[in-house]
Amino acid sequence: MSGLNASLGYFLAVVIFAALIQTLFRKWPRFGFVLEFASSFMLVACRLEVQTIVEVGEWAGGLGPDVTLTVLFLVLLTHGVICGDASGNPTLVVLKFLQLEATALATLLAVAAQFLGAHLALLVAAYYWSLELTDMHMIKNLMASECSTSLVVSLLQGFFTECVCTLVLHLVLLNLRRRSALIRVPLIAVFLTFLAHIAKGYTSAYMSPSLSYGLTFQCPGFTFSQYAVVYWLGSLTGMILALLVYMGHIPRIFAKNLLYSQKTRFRVKKGDNAEKKKL
């Protein structure tokens, strides 16, 4: 359990750092990209440690699959509570742009901040592992340069997996966006945990370009462009399809609804019209 205690301390330090940034900059909407930086850093830094527990914890620390799934759920739940609307996910930022809810400059700054946060998380995690506080982290430090890729299927299967998972995720998010955070955040955390579990033998269903960059782009097995096709193009395609299915069109590109006919929301009964004419 010493390995888990060290991991909990690491999680706590990352959460406090992200929470401080969220508290300091939440008052100024113009610095929304800073919130995205903190959100991405927290998510990637914590998921890197969860990945360590999954890969090494079972035989170096006695941590079984039930522990790893519980830790993953708690990480996702805490991220949703602390970061709120700052998702740390580039596809959600681009979604707001396509819905005419954000400008091009704000979108570019947010996406750049998310990848910067992911890269910083990589550096922080590598330093943390180098301290070798437990046997689990000592082994992880030795394995750092030869990490196992999350993409264990062909490029076409990986692209399809990320696309479908992202499509379903965004449809869920679009339908839950008006719900209370007390309902929305736990449901999304459960759903993300479920997708990560069932897609473990495919792509791990990251559904976020910055998250995938931090967790698997550094691992051998595929080139940078091959990873980008699966994890970046796949997730962006899934997001665009979700928006098209949900709204029937892409507001940023065209206003005409391609899928759903425009019908009047309220219909007047024929009897009412007849009465009005008599009057």
Side-chain angles (χ1 to χ4, degrees):
M1 294 297 291
S2 61
L4 186 58
N5 290 334
S7 296
L8 292 176
Y10 169 81
F11 289 140
L12 183 61
V14 170
V15 168
I16 290 174
F17 173 76
L20 285 175
I21 294 182
Q22 293 284 336
T23 302
L24 290 174
F25 289 92
R26 188 168 288 172
K27 299 178 181 178
W28 297 287
R30 68 177 63 182
F31 295 114
F33 65 93
V34 180
L35 303 182
E36 292 293 344
F37 164 81
S39 177
S40 179
F41 170 79
M42 176 183 170
L43 184 59
V44 175
C46 290
R47 287 293 299 268
L48 282 168
E49 185 64 4
V50 172
Q51 192 177 64
T52 300
I53 297 173
V54 171
E55 294 176 349
V56 188
E58 186 170 356
W59 52 277
L63 306 176
D66 54 338
V67 175
T68 57
L69 282 176
T70 302
V71 172
L72 177 58
F73 168 72
L74 291 176
V75 163
L76 294 171
L77 180 63
T78 305
H79 178 264
V81 172
I82 297 295
C83 298
D85 293 334
S87 63
N89 188 339
T91 62
L92 286 171
V93 173
V94 176
L95 178 67
K96 291 181 179 180
F97 172 73
L98 294 178
Q99 289 181 296
L100 304 176
E101 296 177 3
T103 64
L105 178 60
T107 302
L108 288 174
L109 287 174
V111 171
Q114 288 168 341
F115 277 98
L116 182 62
H119 191 72
L120 179 62
L122 272 171
L123 299 177
V124 170
Y127 173 75
Y128 166 66
W129 295 331
S130 69
L131 298 177
E132 298 184 356
L133 299 177
T134 65
D135 292 341
M136 181 176 68
H137 296 104
M138 180 184 68
I139 296 172
K140 178 62 178 180
N141 188 44
L142 294 173
M143 296 170 54
S145 59
E146 295 294 333
C147 58
S148 300
T149 178
S150 300
L151 181 58
V152 294
V153 293
S154 67
L155 294 181
L156 183 60
Q157 288 176 310
F159 174 87
F160 181 76
T161 301
E162 283 295 309
C163 180
V164 171
C165 289
T166 307
L167 167 65
V168 176
L169 172 65
H170 280 79
L171 286 176
V172 171
L173 291 173
L174 286 168
N175 281 281
L176 290 179
R177 61 180 179 173
R178 300 188 188 280
R179 297 281 185 175
S180 168
L182 291 174
I183 299 174
R184 185 179 69 252
V185 173
L187 283 178
I188 293 173
V190 170
F191 186 67
L192 289 174
T193 304
F194 171 74
L195 285 180
H197 178 65
I198 64 172
K200 184 179 179 182
Y202 297 90
T203 64
S204 292
Y206 293 135
M207 300 168 288
S208 167
S210 57
L211 180 62
S212 59
Y213 167 78
L215 267 62
T216 201
F217 270 51
Q218 318 303 321
C219 299
F222 296 91
T223 64
F224 187 93
S225 59
Q226 288 174 326
Y227 277 129
V229 168
V230 173
Y231 289 104
W232 293 2
L233 184 60
S235 59
L236 286 172
T237 303
M239 177 272 293
I240 292 173
L241 289 175
L243 181 60
L244 190 60
V245 170
Y246 182 78
M247 298 189 66
H249 68 120
I250 312 289
R252 178 67 65 175
I253 301 176
F254 39 75
K256 183 180 179 180
N257 197 308
L258 303 178
L259 299 181
Y260 312 116
S261 60
Q262 299 294 327
K263 296 181 179 180
T264 55
R265 192 169 184 179
F266 302 101
R267 294 182 178 180
V268 181
K269 295 181 181 179
K270 293 182 178 180
D272 294 341
N273 287 335
E275 290 179 2
K276 289 181 179 179
K277 288 181 179 179
K278 289 180 180 180
L279 293 175

